[in-house]
Amino acid sequence: MSEPTRYSATPVEPPLNLDREPDPVVGCEGCSELANVRSRARAGGDMATVSDCNVFMRRHPEGH
């Protein structure tokens, strides 16, 4: 059996990508639609939807 750690470990911080929004992939209808929704949401001041669209574009089911 191993000894327990007797000191605090350095916390792990995942990188945050706050620099820029994801770009839609050329020729992808899903990305294009998300970019359009994001633009309309931004024009209407709905930043929650803008953020959601960014997340969906980053986690696109087709792997891009």
Side-chain angles (χ1 to χ4, degrees):
M1 185 147 74
S2 64
E3 289 292 317
T5 303
R6 303 214 183 272
Y7 55 88
S8 60
T10 305
V12 176
E13 295 185 30
L16 294 176
N17 187 2
L18 300 175
D19 297 335
R20 54 181 284 223
E21 295 180 334
D23 295 323
V25 173
V26 177
C28 176
E29 292 180 21
C31 286
S32 179
E33 179 61 25
L34 284 170
N36 290 334
V37 171
R38 180 176 65 185
S39 294
R40 289 190 303 268
R42 181 175 286 112
D46 184 0
M47 297 310 288
T49 300
V50 170
S51 177
D52 290 345
C53 288
N54 289 337
V55 169
F56 289 138
M57 288 177 78
R58 285 188 183 104
R59 296 181 180 174
H60 197 280
E62 294 179 21
H64 52 262

